[in-house]
Amino acid sequence: MSVPFCMGKVIDVIYTTSQDEQFISRLNNICQILVCVFIIGGAANFGRIYLMQIAGQRIIKRLREKLFGSLIKQEIGFFDKTRTGELINRLSTDTSLVGNSVTMNISDGLRAFAQAIGGVGMMVYVSTKLALFSLAVVPPVAAMSIIYGRYMRGITRRVQDSLASATELAEEKLSNIRTVRAFAHEDKECKTYEQKIQDVLKLSYKESLARGIFFGFTGLTGNLIVLSVFYYGGMMMTESQITVGELSAFLLYAAYVGISIGGLSSFYTELNRGLGASYRLWELIDRKPLIPVSALELPAEFMRTLPAVQGNISFCDVVFSYPSRPDIIIFNNFNLRASAGQVTAVVGPSGSGKSTVFGLLLRLYDPVSGSIILDGHDIKTLDPTWLRSHIGTVSQEPILFSCSVGENIAYGATDPDSVTLHQIEEAARKANAYSFVKGFPEGFDTLVGERGLMLSGGQRQRIAIARAILKNPEILLLDEATSALDAESEYLVHDALDKLMAGRTVLTIAHRLSTIKTAGQIAVINEGQIAEIGSYSELMSINEGFFKKLVERQTISLS
């Protein structure tokens, strides 16, 4: 803020002092002072930008960590209702916008504010009369800025929501590109995405129009201020009320104030954009999961772990509907008991709720009413992390992570980083996966691609079985775990699973008669309840029995 004042003194020295040694001395002194001021100012500006940029990136990092930590702990019902693309957009775009709004934007705003206050003060110091005349336009500009900022906050929120919707669509279609390609719907998906982006563009037009009007108005007022200073200052000079140097300094201060007002306008605009983007961001960070993932988020009475897991499981009068479809009842007074060390096959028509049994036991969802008992304890009173660490799962369509084969197998362990290669290879041998993995050029370091799509269905399933074998759980949940294997592999995997299942509680969703016959107990689900339960011979002996009808209709495969 000392620069314009010193510049004015230089101009006065030039205009009022003769070309002698005194003139040169005064000019040298003022210029030396200015050089020092410039150096200090440059160093301070470097420090401000450098530190604010670092702070901004650290804040964005913390925001992303907090948001991801909050998202990863939400209950499964939350993800049923919220698209992944929207969450990715919040995690990437919104965090950057908010982080920059509270660092560089705040810094620039404070700088502009200090410069505006200092500039106005120096304008008053140089010439009070000229300052009052030129600053009369500031109040209406400030009022317009407030109105504009509120409008920008709303329009930014709508732009971010619209962009999140477009990101959702892109993420969904690109992650399922094989399905899109198989049905030759590339052009259709392009048009759908274009419509989403068109919505973003329409909102951006409104944002651009508002920005154009506002900054056009502020630019006009700034130029009018400069013109009024020239005119009124020139009139004052003719009356010897102000010197040339003072008028020059005043003009520079007026320019500083004009630039600062523009900076404050940008600051207010960006701040409101950040506020608009942060609305959903903070909502997600602060959201408490309906089903906690660890005992640290539970009261003391819900931190219970059992000294040992026997594996006695009971579903008692369970009523359940999915949170995304609360009007559709899946289970109505559902009762099922699985004894420790017993294999229970769960059968029934498609959509009867077989997989829901697994989801409830893993506590991915909580029943609307009723309870699920493990060894005499309601699973709601158990540490969720401890509970899931004692349950192994193999689904019919196993999903692998886009890392190596070895890392996918090691993922079944409580501490994957401590798993040795020998343990991984042993689990692969038991799952009949060792031979084909060793056939890959990079062996267990072979990358499986996104969701494991570089492997065949049978290979993915055997990797998932190896993952479950490595976990060595007390309870096994198998969703037709051998359905994609050839006859020889199925025999070998069955042999491995038989050894693994010894002394453990096993629930298996079965569609094949060969699997059902070996089960100690068969539970037949129909219309949200257990229709029949018993061994294979007992159920087949019931005339007009529901299970018998399923077999006769070949709803259950005879192979």
Side-chain angles (χ1 to χ4, degrees), residues 361-391:
L361 183 57
L362 282 165
R363 212 185 166 198
L364 304 182
Y365 304 92
D366 277 341
V368 177
S369 64
S371 58
I372 302 165
I373 308 300
L374 174 63
D375 294 341
H377 300 276
D378 191 329
I379 63 172
K380 288 184 179 180
T381 67
L382 300 177
D383 178 354
T385 300
W386 176 88
L387 172 68
R388 295 173 188 132
S389 69
H390 291 274
I391 301 176

Side-chain angles (χ1 to χ4, degrees), residues 98-163:
V98 172
N100 291 328
S101 294
V102 298
T103 50
M104 279 307 299
N105 184 54
I106 293 289
S107 173
D108 291 340
L110 290 173
R111 181 174 182 268
F113 179 75
Q115 189 168 282
I117 296 298
V120 170
M122 291 303 296
M123 287 169 68
V124 172
Y125 174 79
V126 172
S127 175
T128 304
K129 185 186 297 185
L130 191 56
L132 292 175
F133 176 80
S134 59
L135 295 176
V137 75
V138 171
V141 172
M144 186 177 179
S145 297
I146 293 173
I147 297 171
Y148 168 73
R150 290 176 178 173
Y151 176 79
M152 284 300 295
R153 187 186 305 181
I155 197 72
T156 299
R157 187 185 301 173
R158 291 166 61 191
V159 168
Q160 292 302 115
D161 287 342
S162 184
L163 185 59

